[in-house]
Amino acid sequence: MGGCFNMMLNFHLVVILMLAICGVRHRMGMAKAEELSLESVKGKVYTLDSVREALIRQEDTIVFGLIERAKFPMNSHTYGGGEEIPGFAGSLAEFVVKNTEAVQAKVGRYNNPEENPFFPENLPPSLVPPYPFTEFLHPKAASVNINKSIWKLYFDELLPLFVASGDDGNYAQTAASDLSLLQAISRRIHYGKFVAEVKFRESAQQYEPLIRAEDKEGLMKLLTFESVEEMVRKRVEKKAKVFGQNVTLNNGDEKNVTYKVDPSVAATLYKNWIIPLTKDVQVEYLLHRLD
């Protein structure tokens, strides 16, 4: 009888222990779910560190975009003077960009405040349930969009800098690679709005007098750190060397390294366009920050 009683007691102890463990796991699961729920409600947090990290990651995307576009020659028919699309007044590149943006708008791309369309006129509304993106930007300043300037510099100045002359007939593929690179460059430049907002929140007392005086030059000086800009240019050029190197297995080829895209192009892109235009976006954003 004693042995039977002990077995029953042990059995009940095991059951109680299992129930306790399940209860703890359940409470831990509920706590974790609550934590995740709170995180999703809070949304993305923007700080100087998180913004800096995002900008560094975007460098990778831009360098790879240059490499992808360099696979094709200029293919000038993509940009007019050869390929006419019935019922559409514009180049094949414009056709691809406008229609791609329309499709992406329907699936919610431009609900994200980090995305800025090249042709915002008459974009269709999103057909998917909205995601609760963090409302971080000041509403009166969030609409700053300089994509028209980016479009012009891309086709008039950047492409001739690194794309070989010629025509291989791959016009649709060329336009697709153009769009990918254009969007990466645009995202990087317009991220200046988030940089400006972070800096304003951290040092509002420095920015407010300049904003009220509409002092663009003063704002530009406050936003400019030449040592940081030089570091960015050097890092981007190094990434272009690493990512774009033509790899061989022959011994002794280390001295004769070639690249898919001249690394100096990436540095020039940042020096002449991305960094200056990013600061232009920051200044324009800040001028509307107190509206």
Side-chain angles (χ1 to χ4, degrees):
M1 288 288 292
C4 184
F5 175 80
N6 288 335
M7 289 179 63
M8 291 292 293
L9 179 61
N10 289 337
F11 174 78
H12 282 96
L13 288 173
V14 170
V15 171
I16 292 171
L17 180 61
M18 291 179 66
L19 289 173
I21 292 173
C22 289
V24 170
R25 286 180 175 175
H26 176 70
R27 286 192 295 275
M28 289 176 65
M30 290 292 288
K32 185 65 175 176
E34 183 178 358
E35 179 183 338
L36 291 172
S37 177
L38 286 172
E39 287 178 356
S40 65
V41 170
K42 291 176 183 175
K44 188 172 182 178
V45 177
Y46 293 94
T47 64
L48 275 178
D49 287 339
S50 68
V51 167
R52 187 180 299 113
E53 182 180 349
L55 295 177
I56 291 173
R57 290 294 299 273
Q58 289 172 37
E59 293 168 5
D60 303 353
T61 307
I62 290 172
V63 170
F64 281 119
L66 290 170
I67 293 170
E68 286 300 303
R69 178 58 185 88
K71 291 194 304 186
F72 305 103
M74 182 59 75
N75 284 339
S76 57
H77 286 317
T78 309
Y79 314 115
E83 296 300 313
E84 295 185 0
I85 300 173
F88 182 80
S91 67
L92 188 148
E94 290 178 90
F95 180 84
V96 169
V97 173
K98 286 184 176 181
N99 282 275
T100 303
E101 285 190 340
V103 172
Q104 292 177 341
K106 289 181 180 180
V107 293
R109 175 168 188 153
Y110 300 108
N111 292 339
N112 184 342
E114 296 180 8
E115 300 289 345
N116 298 269
F118 281 88
F119 298 98
E121 307 86 5
N122 301 319
L123 276 181
S126 174
L127 302 179
V128 301
Y131 179 83
F133 288 104
T134 303
E135 295 181 3
F136 181 72
L137 298 177
H138 184 64
K140 297 294 184 179
S143 61
V144 172
N145 185 327
I146 65 166
N147 271 336
K148 285 183 171 58
S149 297
I150 296 173
W151 181 275
K152 180 173 176 57
L153 77 84
Y154 178 84
F155 292 109
D156 293 352
E157 301 181 58
L158 179 59
L159 280 185
L161 196 62
F162 76 100
V163 174
S165 60
D167 190 319
D168 67 359
N170 289 307
Y171 307 135
Q173 297 93 318
T174 298
S177 63
D178 283 327
L179 173 58
S180 179
L181 182 51
L182 275 165
Q183 288 180 327
I185 292 173
S186 171
R187 184 184 180 93
R188 168 60 176 79
I189 290 172
H190 286 99
Y191 220 79
K193 291 186 281 189
F194 295 89
V195 177
E197 180 64 26
V198 168
K199 289 182 176 180
F200 177 85
R201 292 192 185 192
E202 292 201 345
S203 305
Q205 71 281 1
Q206 287 185 287
Y207 287 96
E208 285 191 13
L210 297 173
I211 294 171
R212 296 186 190 282
E214 298 185 356
D215 187 351
K216 293 184 178 182
E217 185 176 345
L219 288 170
M220 186 63 74
K221 287 182 178 178
L222 195 57
L223 293 166
T224 299
F225 297 90
E226 292 183 359
S227 60
V228 174
E229 294 175 7
E230 179 63 21
M231 180 184 66
V232 170
R233 291 194 294 269
K234 289 181 178 179
R235 184 174 61 232
V236 170
E237 186 169 7
K238 185 173 183 180
K239 286 183 177 182
K241 289 180 179 179
V242 174
F243 301 160
Q245 181 177 339
N246 289 312
V247 178
T248 68
L249 299 178
N250 298 325
N251 294 328
D253 279 355
E254 291 81 1
K255 296 181 180 179
N256 301 312
V257 174
T258 59
Y259 302 99
K260 299 175 179 68
V261 175
D262 185 342
S264 66
V265 171
T268 299
L269 170 60
Y270 267 76
K271 178 182 179 180
N272 291 352
W273 299 304
I274 288 182
I275 291 175
L277 288 175
T278 300
K279 290 193 292 185
D280 286 346
V281 166
Q282 292 182 62
V283 169
E284 188 66 23
Y285 177 89
L286 288 169
L287 288 173
H288 296 281
R289 180 57 180 77
L290 301 180
D291 288 357

